[in-house]
Each structure stands twice: as structure tokens, then as C-alpha cells.
Amino acid sequence: MSNADTAAIQPTRRAGRKQWTGLAVLILPVLLVSLDMQVLSYALPFISAELGPSSAELLWIVNIYPFVLAGLLLTMGSFGDRIGRRRLLMIGAVVFGLASVVACLATGPAMLIATRALMGLGGATLMPSTLSLIRNMFSDDGQRRIAIAVWTGAFAAGAILGPLLGGVLLEHFWWGSVFLVNLPVMALLLILAPPLLPESKAEKPGRFDLFSAALSLAAVLPAVYGIQKMAEDGVSAVPVVVFLVGLGIGWYFLRRQRGLAEPLLDVRLFRDQAFSASVATSVLAIFSLVGSGLFTSQYLQIVLGFGPLQAGLWALPAAGAALVSSATAPLLVRFVRPGLVVTGGLVVAAAGYGVLSQLHASSGVGVLALGTVIMAAGITLVMTTTSDLVIATAPADRAGSVSGLSQTATEFGGAFGVAILGSIGTAVYRHDVAREAPAGLPRDAVGSAKDTLGGAVETAQHLPSRTGEELLDVAREAFAHGLRVASWTAVGLLLAMAVTSLILLRHTRAGAPETAAEVPGAAGVPEARVGEDGAREGGASSRVPGRG
């Protein structure tokens, strides 16, 4: 009997106390990276006042982190498969921690931009390493789903709680504290990772293709940059061309991967319907989550006039809903097919956006809180289920590269959420302000007011009190109108994806695979298991990915 046949009939080893304690360690970088994506926005006024960046420099301070993060996720995930996922996780923790120290001590915009780029590099090593380690630590289907639910809940909660943390820190400390808070978390990770996390890497990783790594970076960076520029400045020739260049390089990257014996990304995984549908659904889930955050933070602070801390506190109900939803997902999948769970989550998220579509400037905080709670619950249900389907479909030897792909997809989803929903809301806002602005306003005042809601607030401060109040009323209602139109757009997209997921995932059952042994063209890929003591065991599984 062959080794593969022997492994196929061996019972799956269940994770023990050490693996569950290790999961708690893995949550630390996930929570931190997720928080860091959101917390900076509240510090920007303080950074502007002290460092005096230009508008272009301020945009780079915000954007360079997600640009580098998105561009390197796939490469770093594949790199971890080769050098060891725990080793890469610890290297990333050191880079992220050191960059955070330098960032909080930055004396100029250029220094802060450079350190934010280094933080993006560190973050790109952390995210795929955590998910791929979970894949190898929890080989039992039910335990893996619970572990990924915890991972997803931490990620979603971090994204929602970022504003609260930012508000607390900036109420009591200087702007650099939003970076300095990373240090104790990274130090704890470096101390606890060696004894609690098993090292895992591919048995036969093959040669690392530097050219493919460069191509992936060259594809993702211009694509994400083009999306962001279109969101900020509208559709124009330069960002469109840059975006198309990124797509062209991406097409060549995928074509090259199909011809390589040892690809950076095994594109044959996309032949599995459950895998492809799960990736696409994850993109739309993050699209919706990030898109809603773009509007709700401004609504709370500018339309309702809440301070950073008060606005952050109103994020707590949505964070709680996300945690409950992530805990519920693995229980539901035990009794209901994953396709139905995903479809239900998308419908719930659409209902949340339906509530947000009723917001007016005078609605108050209750409608917004209810809508974000429902939306966060639905999105987290989707993310938890699809994350498990994606990572379970992957061969254990390629868990890092597939985790990197999954995270890259979510970065694109977030960028598209900002670009598409943000552009829709901005277009409606500008149209309404231009049409409804008080008569007699100077042309430059109208131009400044219709640029952004913040610009309208600044303009109103330099106008006579009555005229300024009229302008603010118009701007706030115009912003709420833009939010309503963007929300209806999200409702349509989520319901369309719900129908698509119901069709594409109709045959997918719980008990997703441990390898892609029967994905076309991927047979014979060895798997690494982790037993109770964290030791790696050889073998291969012959179960079909995600099929009943």
C-alpha cells in the first residue's frame, strides 16, 4: 500500500490545547493589522498640524500602507510556504514593530510615508502566515471552521473597532500613539510564537520564481492605485490607463503561472467552482464592509457632529454583531449547506444596507446603528464561511500562497468599495450641493463646498452665520442622499451575488477538503498535518474539494 493510500485511511487528528492556545497568539497580528487599517484616519488632522504635509503627501501617508500590503500579500504567502510560515510571521512582526517605532517619531512627511511602506511590508507577511498556519494546525473540518471563525471575527472586529481605539488614543495622547500601540502586541507575538506555534512549510516547495513575484507586485500596485485615484479625483485618463496597465500585467502573470511547473500561484485551483465562487463572494463582502465605513464615519462626525471617541463608541454594536456572527457561522454549517449560509449572509447584509438607505441628515444615530449592525452580521457570516472554503480547498503545501491570494482579493474588494460606492456618493453629493447651494455664494465657495463634506464645513465657517447654516444643511442632506444611493447600489450587488452564490455553491457541503488532490492537474500534492503535539505528519488526502 502506498504512503498516500495509508494517509487517506488514517483518522484526522484533532487539535489539542496547544493548538487552541496558539490560535490566540495568531489572533494578535490579525487584530493589529485590521486595526491599523482604520485607526490612522482619526490622526490625520493632528499629523497635518504637526508635520505640515501637502495634500499629495497626506494621501500617500494614508494609501502607501494598503498599496504595499496588497502588492506583496501573494508573494509573501508563497515565500512563507518555502521558508516556513512561523518564521515569516516572526520576521514580519519585527519589521512591523520597528517601522511603528520610527513612524511615531517621524519628523517629516517623507519619513512617515517611508515607514508606512515598511509597515505594509510587515503586514503582508503577517496576514497570510496566520491563515496558512491555521490551515495546518487544524486538520479536523469542524475545528478548522471554528478556528477560521475566530480569525474572521478578530479581523472584522478590528476593522470596526479601529475608530474607537483611535478616538481613545487621540483624546489622551499625541498622534504617534496610534503607531506605538503596536509594540506590545508585536513583542508578545515574538515571545509566544516559538513555543506555541508549530513550524510548517511545503515538503517540496520548488524554486521561488522572482520574476513572477515582481509581476504580481507590478500588477497589483497600479491596479489598486488606479482604483484609489478614480475614487479620489474621479474618472480621468491617467488613473484609467494605470489601472488597465495593472490588469494587463495581471493577465500576463496568470498566463505565465499556467505554464510553470512550480507556479507562484496555482491557477488550476480556480477550476474548482467552490473555490472561485468563495473568492468572488469574499471580494464583494469586503467591498460592502469598507464601502459602508467610508460613509458612516463621516456621517457620525460631520453630519451628527460627534467627536472621535463618541463616534468610535457607536461602532461597538456592529463589532459585537460581527463577533456573534463569526461564532454562529461554524454552527450553522453543521446543519445547513455552506452555499445557503453564504446566500443568507448576503441577504442579511443587503437588508442592513436597506436600512442605511433610509438615512437622512435628520435621522439621528439609531437608524445608522441598526443598519451597520445588520450589515456587519451578514458580512461576517459570509466572510467566515467563504474563508473556510477557500483555505480548505488549498493543498497544505500551498496554504501560504492561497492565503495570500485570499487576502489580496479582499484588498481589491476594499479598494473597489471605496472607489465605486465612494464615487457614487460623491457624484450625488456634488450634484445636490451645486443645485441647492444658497443663492449669491461666490463661485470659489460653491466649488470648495461641493468638493467634500469637510470642505463645506470649512467654507461655512467663513460665511455669515445664516448663510453658513443654510450651506451646512444643504451639504449634510446632500451627503445623506449620496449615502442612500450608494446603499441601494450595494443592495442590488449583494442580492445579485446571493443568487450567484446559491447557484455556484449548491453542491458544496461542509467537510471541505484537506488538499486539492482531485482538483484537475493538482494530484499528488503532499499534505502536512499537525498532531496534538504540533508535529508535522506526511501524507495526502483524496477527498474532493468541497463536494458532497
Side-chain angles (χ1 to χ4, degrees), residues 454-522:
V457 173
E458 178 67 22
T459 300
Q461 293 176 352
H462 299 88
L463 296 174
S465 58
R466 183 174 179 179
T467 305
E469 285 297 324
E470 290 178 2
L471 177 61
L472 282 178
D473 289 342
V474 167
R476 287 166 177 158
E477 189 53 52
F479 181 83
H481 186 200
L483 189 157
R484 294 196 298 274
V485 175
S487 296
W488 280 120
T489 303
V491 168
L493 291 172
L494 288 165
L495 292 179
M497 194 67 211
V499 174
T500 304
S501 297
L502 185 62
I503 295 171
L504 294 181
L505 297 175
R506 65 187 183 279
H507 297 306
T508 303
R509 294 181 182 272
E514 278 144 17
T515 75
E518 295 190 17
V519 173

Side-chain angles (χ1 to χ4, degrees), residues 11 26 52 65 113 143 155 180 199 207 259 290 297 384-385 395 413 461 507 514 530:
L26 290 176
Y65 175 79
I113 292 170
Q143 289 187 322
F155 186 83
L180 204 58
E199 183 60 280
R207 182 177 61 89
V290 174
S297 61
T384 303
T385 308
Q461 293 176 352
H507 297 306
E514 278 144 17
V530 179

Side-chain angles (χ1 to χ4, degrees), residues 293-382:
L294 178 70
F295 291 101
T296 55
S297 61
Q298 293 186 73
Y299 186 89
L300 287 169
Q301 292 186 83
I302 302 179
V303 175
L304 298 184
F306 291 172
L309 180 57
Q310 189 178 7
L313 287 172
W314 278 105
L316 288 175
L323 291 173
V324 171
S325 184
S326 67
T328 303
L331 299 177
L332 285 176
V333 172
R334 292 175 59 186
F335 305 103
V336 182
R337 288 192 178 189
L340 293 176
V341 175
V342 171
T343 300
L346 291 168
V347 172
V348 170
Y353 261 111
V355 173
L356 293 177
S357 71
Q358 305 306 305
L359 272 173
H360 292 267
S362 59
S363 295
V365 74
V367 176
L368 181 132
L370 178 62
T372 54
V373 163
I374 297 172
M375 185 271 300
I379 292 299
T380 309
L381 194 65
V382 172

Side-chain angles (χ1 to χ4, degrees), residues 12 35 48 81 88 90 115 159 182 185 244 304 309 362 366 371 381 486 523:
T12 301
L35 283 168
S48 296
D81 288 340
L88 185 65
M90 296 180 68
T115 54
N182 299 333
V185 178
L244 292 177
L304 298 184
L309 180 57
S362 59
L381 194 65

Side-chain angles (χ1 to χ4, degrees), residues 182-330:
N182 299 333
L183 291 184
V185 178
M186 291 296 99
L188 193 60
L189 175 62
L190 289 172
I191 293 170
L192 297 178
L196 293 175
L197 300 179
E199 183 60 280
S200 68
K201 59 183 178 180
E203 295 281 0
K204 298 177 181 179
R207 182 177 61 89
F208 185 75
D209 187 4
L210 286 174
F211 185 55
S212 290
L215 282 176
S216 70
L217 183 63
V220 172
L221 284 183
V224 175
Y225 176 80
I227 295 169
Q228 294 279 37
K229 290 300 290 181
M230 284 186 277
E232 293 162 3
D233 305 326
V235 178
S236 60
V238 172
V240 169
V241 169
V242 171
F243 175 70
L244 292 177
V245 167
L247 289 187
I249 297 173
W251 172 82
Y252 178 69
F253 167 79
L254 294 176
R255 183 179 178 183
R256 175 179 172 81
Q257 301 312 296
R258 286 197 296 267
L260 293 177
E262 299 162 350
L264 188 70
L265 172 65
D266 189 354
V267 296
R268 292 169 297 188
L269 288 168
F270 285 98
R271 297 178 188 176
D272 183 79
Q273 195 167 277
F275 180 86
S276 300
S278 297
V279 171
T281 307
S282 296
V283 170
L284 185 61
I286 295 295
F287 172 102
S288 305
L289 185 65
V290 174
S292 72
L294 178 70
F295 291 101
T296 55
S297 61
Q298 293 186 73
Y299 186 89
L300 287 169
Q301 292 186 83
I302 302 179
V303 175
L304 298 184
F306 291 172
L309 180 57
Q310 189 178 7
L313 287 172
W314 278 105
L316 288 175
L323 291 173
V324 171
S325 184
S326 67
T328 303

